[in-house]
Amino acid sequence: MQTDFDVAVIGGGIAGVSAAAEIAKGASVVLIETERQPGYHSSGRSAALFAPGYGSSAMQALTALSRPFFDAPPEGFADVPLLTPRGLMRTASEDQLAALEALPGHMRDPDRLIWMTGEEAEARAPILRRGHVKRAFLDEGASDIDVHALLQGFLRQAKAAGAQMRMGAPVTALVREGGGWRVTLGDESLRVGVVVNAAGAWADELAGMAGVARVGLQPKRRTAITVAAPEGIDVAALPMIVDAAEDFYVKPDAGRLLASPADETPSAPCDAQPEEMDVAICADRLMTTCAVEVRRIESKWAGLRSFAPDHLPVVGFAPGAPGFFWLAGQGGTGVQTSPGMARLAAKLVLGRPVAEAVGDTGLSAETIAPGRAALAG
Ligand SMILES: Cc1cc2nc3c(=O)[nH]c(=O)nc-3n(C[C@H](O)[C@H](O)[C@H](O)COP(=O)(O)OP(=O)(O)OC[C@H]3O[C@@H](n4cnc5c(N)ncnc54)[C@H](O)[C@@H]3O)c2cc1C
């Protein structure tokens, strides 16, 4: 079939933009996004943390594979560092001591962590309310990600490699045609060889549009607020603080505090908005954990974190639907895994060996493939 592009990447969040940049090195690419701006949905609403021990083992492998890119991006990729050391402190109040001990081993890796008493935790994070934390550990390997620089860097890379952009262009139909796909976006109709489904919370809907079996993705809403920092504390030096039960977190954000009740409310794919109840719960947990009086919420937002039933990402060609490639289910780690996941996705899309993209992490492409047993039926 004569095609307009080898590959259409659908979704201009961090997953789609990073994949477009990698795939464009070996194929002609069009990147298609509903919104006028890339990163408008989940990718622009994250807590922007790089946490090596967070998420499933596959996500940890993809995070490790992404680290070299974050530390040394290609020449000209960004004019600021992509990572800035932050540190991640997991804290336990009296009733969370068992939960802290019960965190999976990989999150409590003794080589990486510094265990602390409540007093030591307060010394390292003086914002903590006196006496609230009984035990904690600090992971100094966690960093802030400059998500804007990351997204813009991938966009620039994609364009430099020849990728074309269609922003403000929702895909409304996907039909198999002559061994490839016909993609309808507004008044335009494109013939492409491969479709990459990087539609985030909408990925199952996009599959349904193409007549491809859904994988059972569940978007879950998560809320965040910012408030003024308390007087007299250098918030910039604070680590991110996450309680042992992951019911709450707080981190510095441009001189203010960013906090979340770490909610995981199932949602339909949508432009997620914060619920007043979640904002109130967040403010309450912030004042319980930290010596902060919340007088005013400066900003609030919500975003969707989308999970497959087994919480692993979904990366690979759909069984029985030639040319339909999944890049979805990034859950709560889609930003920190994006360089590694994009690289792996590009190898698979371009039909190249994946050994180099998975390194010695033990990650196998079969584990995260859409045809795996956990997603069957
Ligand atoms: C509050 C919060 C905190 C988080 N914190 C972190 C963190 O600290 N670190 C981390 O790594 N991750 C974090 N995450 C998770 C991270 O944000 C996501 O995993 C990641 O953004 C997913 O990227 P994506 O590109 O798949 O999705 P999105 O950014 O949502 O992009 C998908 C895009 O597809 C487009 N689309 C959908 N359907 C169509 C269509 N038919 N046609 C064209 N375009 C379409 C949408 O408009 C959307 O822009 C957090 C998420 C939230 C909500």
Side-chain angles (χ1 to χ4, degrees):
M1 172 179 91
Q2 183 80 19
T3 56
D4 298 307
F5 295 94
D6 298 328
V7 180
V9 177
I10 303 177
I14 195 68
V17 174
S18 55
E22 284 292 331
I23 298 167
K25 293 175 187 170
S28 64
V29 171
V30 58
L31 174 68
I32 307 171
E33 165 57 43
T34 296
E35 309 292 346
R36 298 206 164 278
Q37 299 290 333
Y40 173 82
H41 288 286
S42 305
S43 301
R45 308 178 190 199
S46 86
L49 195 76
F50 179 97
Y54 192 60
S56 61
S57 54
M59 284 307 201
Q60 288 171 56
L62 288 160
T63 302
L65 287 164
S66 299
R67 179 94 210 199
F69 184 96
F70 279 111
D71 285 339
E75 185 75 28
F77 186 87
D79 49 17
V80 291
L82 294 175
L83 294 185
T84 309
R86 167 61 55 210
L88 172 63
M89 184 184 277
R90 297 298 300 258
T91 60
S93 54
E94 186 74 50
D95 59 350
Q96 288 183 335
L97 286 168
L100 191 71
E101 296 294 339
L103 283 174
H106 63 258
M107 288 191 187
R108 299 187 290 112
D109 178 354
D111 292 341
R112 229 185 31 234
L113 305 177
I114 304 165
W115 282 87
M116 297 178 166
T117 62
E119 291 75 30
E120 287 165 344
E122 286 167 12
R124 175 67 183 83
I127 198 170
L128 287 169
R129 194 169 283 290
R130 297 266 143 199
H132 177 74
V133 169
K134 301 297 177 204
R135 194 153 162 67
F137 62 71
L138 181 69
D139 179 349
E140 287 184 315
S143 298
D144 283 343
I145 303 171
D146 189 327
V147 182
H148 178 75
L150 184 67
L151 193 80
Q152 294 305 319
F154 280 131
L155 265 181
R156 264 196 307 278
Q157 261 198 335
K159 287 178 186 166
Q164 288 197 27
M165 305 289 144
R166 299 285 193 280
M167 298 289 146
V171 169
T172 51
L174 269 178
V175 179
R176 280 286 296 151
E177 190 180 288
W181 293 88
R182 180 166 289 278
V183 185
T184 306
L185 45 146
D187 295 340
E188 195 176 10
S189 170
L190 298 172
R191 287 161 306 157
V192 303
V194 171
V195 162
V196 173
N197 178 5
W202 291 265
D204 256 350
E205 281 192 0
L206 195 78
M209 194 190 283
V212 172
R214 297 164 189 245
V215 296
L217 276 186
Q218 178 61 65
K220 295 185 179 179
R221 188 180 67 240
R222 180 159 282 191
T223 309
I225 64 171
T226 59
V227 301
E231 298 275 313
I233 291 180
D234 176 14
V235 289
L238 294 174
M240 179 161 174
I241 298 165
V242 185
D243 72 350
E246 203 182 326
D247 280 339
F248 169 74
Y249 63 75
V250 61
K251 68 179 290 216
D253 182 56
R256 299 182 303 266
L257 295 174
L258 183 163
S260 171
D263 43 334
E264 298 194 294
T265 311
S267 166
C270 65
D271 187 354
Q273 299 299 321
E275 300 272 331
E276 280 314 311
M277 180 59 87
D278 294 323
V279 171
I281 291 170
C282 186
D284 183 61
R285 290 184 186 160
L286 175 58
M287 290 189 286
T288 303
T289 309
C290 298
V292 174
E293 285 310 310
V294 177
R295 295 205 182 81
R296 198 170 77 82
I297 309 292
E298 294 197 349
S299 63
K300 56 184 174 181
W301 67 90
L304 300 176
R305 302 153 83 243
S306 296
F307 296 91
D310 57 5
H311 277 221
L312 296 176
V314 186
V315 182
F317 281 104
F324 189 92
F325 188 91
W326 285 89
L327 183 56
Q330 286 86 348
T333 47
V335 181
Q336 68 181 38
T337 53
S338 57
M341 209 182 296
R343 196 137 175 264
L344 176 57
K347 297 277 185 212
L348 291 165
V349 167
L350 298 170
R352 298 192 180 150
V354 298
E356 191 202 335
V358 296
D360 60 0
T361 57
L363 178 69
S364 96
E366 286 72 38
T367 311
I368 56 175
R372 63 190 184 255
L375 306 186

